[in-house]
Amino acid sequence: MSIFPEFITRDRPPQSVLIRRRVSERQLSRLLRRHALYRAGARDGRRAVLLRCDLSGLDLKGVDLSGADILECDFSDADLSGAQLQNATLAGCCFENSRLDAANLAGADLSRSDFENADLRGADLADATLSGARLGRAELGESPHTGLPTNIDTRLLDRAMMQLRRQ
């Protein structure tokens, strides 16, 4: 018997939640395994949820956290090259000085996230929500690994430039 009322848990998928902590490689490995099982539809899988966690400086090359909820986490100086983050909620995260080269962020919610000095060359930002995101000195363009350009709706960049001019 659950200690939570049915209305709280009924419509929510099972989750692995980390809150306000420095995430170790061991914790991350376990979280990624359970998230992969969740994405595959396995009964013992758990959707990854990270709230205000510190992942700064970690090697996260090629991780698959697509569809995860990751809110206000610190990814500064992390290597997320080739990461699969499509349709993830990454609102309020800090990606300062991070490598997101060839990362898939299509459909991700990147609202209020900070990409100051981030390497976004070759990243796929198609249909990503970038409202309030800071892209100052972010590196856009062709990826040195894949040769593909950054995929971003130029109308979003035009709006960002207009906002900067108003300030």
Side-chain angles (χ1 to χ4, degrees):
M1 180 165 185
S2 174
I3 61 169
F4 297 108
E6 183 183 346
F7 69 88
I8 292 177
T9 59
R10 168 182 43 195
D11 296 328
R12 295 176 187 229
Q15 303 174 355
S16 281
V17 180
L18 295 177
I19 302 172
R20 290 184 188 250
R21 66 173 65 170
R22 170 72 184 166
V23 178
S24 69
E25 295 212 7
R26 183 175 167 213
Q27 289 171 318
L28 184 63
S29 177
R30 182 172 180 224
L31 182 96
L32 290 171
R33 257 191 331 274
R34 296 182 89 189
H35 188 70
L37 290 171
Y38 163 75
R39 300 259 316 135
R43 218 173 115 187
D44 55 342
R46 299 287 182 262
R47 186 169 56 96
V49 177
L50 292 99
L51 306 171
R52 296 183 178 160
C53 289
D54 181 1
L55 296 108
S56 60
L58 291 179
D59 183 354
L60 303 169
K61 285 184 210 130
V63 298
D64 185 352
L65 283 167
S66 48
D69 284 337
I70 304 168
L71 302 168
E72 298 180 9
C73 290
D74 183 4
F75 288 96
S76 57
D77 299 305
D79 189 348
L80 291 142
S81 301
Q84 298 300 311
L85 300 164
Q86 63 270 27
N87 300 311
T89 300
L90 295 155
C93 290
C94 177
F95 293 98
E96 279 187 41
N97 302 310
S98 293
R99 285 193 65 193
L100 291 139
D101 169 36
N104 186 348
L105 295 153
D109 180 358
L110 303 168
S111 304
R112 303 177 331 277
S113 289
D114 185 359
F115 293 94
E116 186 78 24
N117 292 318
D119 182 354
L120 290 164
R121 293 177 296 170
D124 186 355
L125 295 159
D127 299 319
T129 302
L130 291 163
S131 60
R134 292 178 297 283
L135 294 165
R137 291 184 288 201
E139 202 169 347
L140 306 174
E142 189 176 297
S143 165
H145 295 98
T146 65
L148 296 172
T150 302
N151 182 9
I152 188 169
D153 185 345
T154 56
R155 292 174 296 181
L156 295 172
L157 293 177
D158 291 342
R159 276 188 234 132
M161 292 303 293
M162 286 177 63
Q163 287 176 347
L164 283 175
R165 287 185 196 127
R166 288 182 196 151
Q167 296 176 353

